[in-house]
Amino acid sequence: MTSLLTRTAASAALAVSLLLGSAAAASAAAEPELTGLSCGYDNRTPPPPLALGDRGRTVLEARCLLAFWTGLRATDEEPSTVFGPDAASATRSFQERRVLPVTGAVDAATWAELRHS
């Protein structure tokens, strides 16, 4: 049992290291240098824009990416398939950091930065 736990922990550490890259893993404050980041829920190119009140798989992908970049979390009031006030706020924060027009909506430029491609 201990061997299984050790292997599981080692596999998880390797996956995180591969995902974040060695530079980002070395500095917790730095954003990871990733190309083509995708949460794989919708992944259409180009994805449709998102705004307050939208729902569905595209929202699921956007929220997953926002969770990665901003720490956005789903709640009972705003589940992961709803683009509500929390998602809009996280989007505005992300847009400010990336020097994008701060709208709170996920447009083409925001999608490109979220996917970091």
Side-chain angles (χ1 to χ4, degrees), residues 32-54:
E33 290 297 323
L34 299 173
T35 301
L37 180 64
S38 173
C39 287
Y41 295 105
D42 188 313
N43 209 21
R44 287 184 279 177
T45 303
L50 295 175
L52 203 58
D54 285 343

Side-chain angles (χ1 to χ4, degrees), residues 7-117:
R7 285 186 298 196
T8 302
S11 295
L14 176 61
V16 168
S17 175
L18 290 172
L19 177 64
L20 297 178
S22 59
S27 173
E31 288 186 349
E33 290 297 323
L34 299 173
T35 301
L37 180 64
S38 173
C39 287
Y41 295 105
D42 188 313
N43 209 21
R44 287 184 279 177
T45 303
L50 295 175
L52 203 58
D54 285 343
R55 298 173 175 271
R57 293 181 63 78
T58 306
V59 171
L60 193 60
E61 179 181 0
R63 287 187 62 109
C64 174
L65 292 166
L66 286 165
F68 179 80
W69 293 114
T70 70
L72 175 67
R73 297 288 176 243
T75 63
D76 290 341
E77 295 79 27
E78 192 174 316
S80 59
T81 57
V82 175
F83 196 86
D86 293 343
S89 177
T91 301
R92 283 190 295 277
S93 173
F94 178 80
Q95 289 167 329
E96 284 176 11
R97 286 198 321 263
R98 295 301 176 103
V99 192
L100 296 167
V102 179
T103 63
V106 183
D107 56 11
T110 304
W111 271 117
E113 285 296 310
L114 281 170
R115 288 178 169 176
H116 205 54
S117 54

